[in-house]
Amino acid sequence: MDVNIHEAKTHLSRLLRRVAAGEEVTIARAGVPVAKLIAAGPRSKSRPMGMDEGKIWIAEDFDAPDPALESLFYDAPVTSAPARKRRKKR
């Protein structure tokens, strides 16, 4: 089903009932589709802790300092932005 934005705003509750029943609703602006209402579906089950154990490897030094990156912050010359001129109040 296609509806324009005004109709969607006016009849949102009705449209949501139709979507919950399995219908898809396309909302258009000046005849050009801009959004689609679809049913959200069931909530996913929570994932058990440790389900990816053994599938991921992280290096021992993954959080070690990186000299090249630190030099960009600490060794770079300090510069300041030029001062902005203030306008006089009338």
Side-chain angles (χ1 to χ4, degrees):
M1 158 184 242
D2 295 341
V3 296
N4 64 32
I5 291 176
H6 177 73
E7 186 178 355
K9 289 189 327 186
T10 305
H11 302 290
L12 182 61
S13 295
R14 291 182 197 165
L15 294 174
L16 291 177
R17 279 194 292 273
R18 292 178 83 156
V19 167
E23 192 172 343
E24 289 187 3
V25 177
T26 302
I27 301 172
R29 177 186 294 129
V32 178
V34 293
K36 185 182 287 189
L37 294 176
I38 59 171
R43 287 188 160 223
S44 61
K45 297 177 185 175
S46 63
R47 296 178 295 198
M49 293 294 290
M51 65 183 247
D52 288 333
E53 187 174 352
K55 295 180 182 178
I56 299 171
W57 174 82
I58 298 176
E60 290 291 327
D61 63 345
F62 81 98
D63 60 347
D66 182 359
L69 182 61
E70 286 186 352
S71 71
L72 294 173
F73 289 98
Y74 300 113
D75 296 338
V78 178
T79 61
S80 61
R84 294 174 54 180
K85 293 181 181 179
R86 291 188 175 191
R87 295 182 357 189
K88 293 182 181 180
K89 292 184 180 182
R90 294 182 187 188

